Amino acid sequence: MENAMFCYQCEQTMGGKGCTKHGVCGKTPEIANLQDLLIYQLKGISCYAKQLIEKGESINKEIVKFVENSLFTTLTNVNFDVEAHVELLKESQEIKEDLRAKAPTGTYSNEATYNLSDNKEEMLKDSIKAGIMYDQDLDPDIRSLRWTVIYGLKGISAYGHQARYINYHSEQVDRFYFIALEATTNDSLTVEDLIRMVMRTGEISIEVMRILDEANTETYENPSAHKVNVKIKKGPFIVVSGHDLRDLEQVLKQTEGKGINVYTHGEMLPCHGYPKLNKYKHLVGNYGSAWQNQQKEFNDIPGAILMTTNCLMRPRESYKDRIFTTNVVGWEGVKNIKLNEDGTKDFSSLIEKALQLGGFKEDEEEKEIIVGFGHNETLSNAEAIVNAIKKEDIKHLFVIGGCDGAKPGRNYYTEFAEKVPKDCIILTLACGKYRFNKLDFGTVAGLPRLLDVGQCNDVYSAVKIASTLADAFDTDINSLPLTIVLSWYEQKAVADLLALLSLGVNGMYLGPTLPAFISPNVLQYLVDTFSLKPISTPDDDLKNSLQQHYQ
């Protein structure tokens, strides 16, 4: 018998309230309930781990990695494979028992004392108690704040996973997984305590993005402005989607000299800016657009596709045999390329598939866009930007970024970008940029008006740019002629939003709709404290942004 489900972690959740029969993302009640139980197990593990941390003991890095990867597995559009979840659940019980034996005796929460059954049917029965709405009597604000912390952690785990894959991590982040997860089980914490934990989640989000920025820039060098062809070339090819730079590098190394073209897709577009990646001549361009168009864009293409992280949608039969996953990404019946003992991966099955399919028959006429305006590249122009703002040649900076999605209402971001006055600069990041990154915005004060800062985690770059400019004007971020317009879809965007709030950034616009997991009181708190605004119309929001700074 199949249980119902309840999930409201993403922007596209049914009716803006919650998915109860089937996930809009494609997950079944079975997957949703196994994911609930996995989060429940992670909370239990964390109750014991926190006690050990307080005793001054360090938690084994394999356990940290397990918690990080499990959180990431449950993020929207990552893993839809039942067996993968069952295996993770079994491992979670072993880890829990191991920590339980070491932790001091005392009273622990239900999440900690619960023992998992070893068969899937029993797991599914037990998953009811792990459901978001299981405790009907829980204060809605407490529930809202607990899940805001968990969704922030899911976003952090995605960035942490990416950094750890290049052998970078932060002790602070590693400890925080356990401290924050335990806090979501702790009935003694008040609304005020949990608001502090939400803000702390934002601070840790900044920290994990800093580590990931360090990992990417020290390994692949600082991105620089680089032209990218967005049209196709003749010949066999591989499309690499997701976010993982190291996977792309390994594909590039293993395809060298084999006559295979490699394209980035989705959030991999910024990879063209990194010198150690764009040196490969067969990294020929970017194919397609944002994640939600993949079923159409991958339909019957004569090439192989690699999904390195989210966002995976249900693969159509027309390309299910030519799409591969790696890391924690999974779909039943789709080949997952595992990590070898030495930390490398063997992409030969992907490469063979690309050669066998033969690729595109002819070149399209080239069309180029520019990427690579991370903090290092943009701040190399800092003096010019500061002078142009002082002379009012540049009137305002807009950060228009975040996730894209399929629901109506996202045309707002295209219209907003198109209507930004010619004497303003747009900084953009994440896949929301596909709404407008192929339009010609021209230049202002000798700089391109559209600066592509990078992936969603490059909110860190945007913050670094803003704080450097604020220092140059001897002021703070909120006093700059700067407006942040965010589109959110999944939990990395939640981590990004919390990061910005933890820095005290005021007056941000958020859309296309507000998160279903934010209760009315918590929303009011965010509005009162940070002047967080839901988007309205591009004209009104533009007018208000510009007026605010030029009254």
Side-chain angles (χ1 to χ4, degrees):
M1 186 188 80
E2 199 167 56
N3 293 338
M5 63 178 276
F6 183 83
C7 180
Y8 60 4
Q9 68 176 359
C10 85
E11 194 272 334
Q12 290 187 185
T13 197
M14 190 60 72
K17 292 191 170 65
C19 292
T20 54
K21 292 194 171 82
H22 206 274
V24 171
C25 63
K27 70 180 171 186
T28 58
E30 187 177 30
I31 291 286
N33 294 327
L34 292 171
Q35 290 189 347
D36 286 349
L37 194 57
L38 184 55
I39 295 292
Y40 193 79
Q41 282 286 80
L42 299 182
K43 291 177 185 178
I45 286 168
S46 301
C47 293
Y48 296 119
K50 183 177 180 244
Q51 290 291 330
L52 292 166
I53 290 166
E54 284 177 351
K55 276 175 64 187
E57 294 182 33
S58 61
I59 305 296
N60 181 315
K61 284 296 172 219
E62 288 306 308
I63 295 178
V64 176
K65 205 152 104 181
F66 175 83
V67 169
E68 185 170 77
N69 284 349
S70 296
L71 281 165
F72 188 16
T73 298
T74 69
L75 187 140
T76 303
N77 288 91
V78 174
N79 195 303
F80 301 83
D81 188 336
V82 171
E83 281 318 305
H85 286 85
V86 170
E87 287 312 307
L88 285 171
L89 279 160
K90 286 178 179 171
E91 198 177 335
S92 74
Q93 185 61 25
E94 286 169 22
I95 290 170
K96 189 197 267 189
E97 286 169 14
D98 175 49
L99 291 176
R100 188 187 280 157
K102 294 175 184 158
T105 52
T107 308
Y108 287 94
S109 71
N110 294 336
E111 290 91 340
T113 56
Y114 167 72
N115 287 313
L116 183 83
S117 165
D118 58 4
N119 76 74
K120 188 180 80 177
E121 283 60 40
E122 290 301 317
M123 289 179 191
L124 285 167
K125 270 186 208 158
D126 285 355
S127 71
I128 294 169
K129 69 178 70 153
I132 293 168
M133 295 297 175
Y134 176 67
D135 185 354
Q136 292 289 322
D137 301 327
L138 188 64
D139 177 313
D141 299 332
I142 297 273
R143 190 192 319 274
S144 174
L145 291 162
R146 283 179 176 181
W147 286 99
T148 303
V149 168
I150 289 169
Y151 298 147
L153 285 178
K154 289 188 184 197
I156 288 166
S157 76
Y159 300 149
H161 164 93
Q162 242 178 298
R164 202 177 306 272
Y165 186 29
I166 328 179
N167 299 318
Y168 283 71
H169 74 278
S170 154
E171 290 297 333
Q172 209 186 345
V173 176
D174 289 0
R175 277 195 306 274
F176 186 72
Y177 288 132
F178 303 109
I179 291 160
L181 281 164
E182 187 277 338
T184 68
T185 71
N186 190 333
D187 291 332
S188 68
L189 297 185
T190 62
V191 165
E192 287 70 26
D193 295 330
L194 285 168
I195 284 173
R196 277 194 289 277
M197 187 54 77
V198 166
M199 288 304 127
R200 184 81 185 112
T201 308
E203 288 164 21
I204 294 294
S205 180
I206 291 281
E207 169 66 5
V208 79
M209 288 193 270
R210 183 187 70 76
I211 286 289
L212 180 53
D213 179 75
E214 205 175 281
N216 287 338
T217 55
E218 288 181 4
T219 310
Y220 302 108
E221 293 176 8
N222 273 301
S224 56
H226 201 79
K227 287 182 174 163
V228 182
N229 180 26
V230 293
K231 296 293 185 181
I232 60 175
K233 285 199 158 323
K234 183 180 170 183
F237 67 93
I238 292 169
V239 173
V240 182
S241 191
H243 303 75
D244 219 299
L245 275 61
R246 186 162 175 221
D247 284 325
L248 176 64
E249 180 191 35
Q250 290 189 70
V251 168
L252 288 166
K253 275 184 179 162
Q254 292 177 36
T255 48
E256 222 169 0
K258 293 192 171 152
I260 294 175
N261 292 325
V262 177
Y263 298 89
T264 55
H265 173 269
E267 283 258 54
M268 296 300 279
L269 170 62
C271 295
H272 293 271
Y274 288 89
K276 292 263 178 88
L277 296 173
N278 72 32
K279 68 175 186 181
Y280 290 95
K281 296 287 170 270
H282 61 301
L283 180 63
V284 295
N286 186 72
Y287 174 78
S289 55
W291 68 273
Q292 78 279 2
N293 302 320
Q294 67 187 257
Q295 290 174 325
K296 189 171 72 208
E297 290 170 353
F298 295 165
N299 196 27
D300 279 331
I301 55 171
I305 305 142
L306 176 68
M307 298 299 295
T308 63
T309 58
N310 65 317
C311 300
L312 172 69
M313 293 174 79
R314 179 192 187 94
R316 288 185 178 170
E317 290 305 317
S318 64
Y319 62 86
K320 198 171 178 183
D321 65 326
R322 61 196 68 185
I323 189 166
F324 296 74
T325 63
T326 188
N327 303 316
V328 301
V329 189
W331 192 284
E332 277 173 77
V334 169
K335 183 176 168 63
N336 180 273
I337 294 167
K338 305 282 181 217
L339 191 63
N340 297 327
E341 289 288 313
D342 64 357
T344 62
K345 291 178 186 174
D346 177 5
F347 287 109
S348 54
S349 55
L350 176 79
I351 292 166
E352 280 161 25
K353 181 59 79 174
L355 289 169
Q356 178 198 327
L357 288 163
F360 294 122
K361 294 286 179 269
E362 52 196 53
D363 293 349
E364 283 180 343
E365 192 180 337
E366 288 200 357
K367 176 182 168 66
E368 290 183 324
I369 60 174
I370 302 180
V371 301
F373 287 96
H375 54 85
N376 188 271
E377 178 77 6
T378 302
L379 291 174
S380 67
N381 300 297
E383 201 180 335
I385 295 171
V386 168
N387 289 336
I389 292 172
K390 282 179 178 166
K391 289 203 267 190
E392 294 205 352
D393 291 342
I394 295 176
K395 280 273 172 54
H396 205 83
L397 304 171
F398 289 91
V399 176
I400 309 176
C403 318
D404 205 354
K407 243 175 30 177
R410 290 183 180 264
N411 294 343
Y412 166 94
Y413 298 94
T414 316
E415 277 181 53
F416 192 100
E418 286 176 321
K419 288 179 172 178
V420 165
K422 299 279 183 275
D423 54 6
C424 301
I425 278 183
I426 300 168
L427 299 165
T428 190
L429 50 95
C431 66
K433 72 178 78 133
Y434 281 107
R435 294 265 159 185
F436 47 80
N437 69 345
K438 291 174 183 142
L439 305 175
D440 185 3
F441 287 91
T443 58
V444 60
L447 288 161
R449 281 187 56 232
L450 182 71
L451 303 177
D452 186 337
V453 178
Q455 295 183 341
C456 48
N457 47 282
D458 291 308
V459 160
Y460 177 76
S461 262
V463 164
K464 209 161 173 182
I465 293 162
S467 49
T468 305
L469 293 178
D471 290 347
F473 285 103
D474 200 17
T475 184
D476 62 9
I477 290 182
N478 291 324
S479 305
L480 284 174
L482 168 76
T483 301
I484 299 177
V485 185
L486 291 179
S487 55
W488 80 283
Y489 170 66
E490 39 83 334
Q491 297 84 64
K492 280 187 274 185
V494 175
D496 294 355
L497 176 66
L498 297 183
L500 293 164
L501 294 177
S502 77
L503 292 168
V505 176
N506 277 341
M508 287 187 281
Y509 289 88
L510 181 65
T513 58
L514 294 173
F517 54 84
I518 301 267
S519 67
N521 289 336
V522 172
L523 178 62
Q524 199 54 51
Y525 169 81
L526 296 175
V527 169
D528 293 346
T529 314
F530 301 103
S531 306
L532 191 65
K533 304 176 178 78
I535 60 170
S536 61
T537 66
D539 287 324
D540 286 350
D541 294 346
L542 255 172
K543 198 173 93 182
N544 291 336
S545 304
L546 294 167
Q547 262 176 359
Q548 200 179 343
H549 288 278
Y550 305 107
Q551 280 166 349

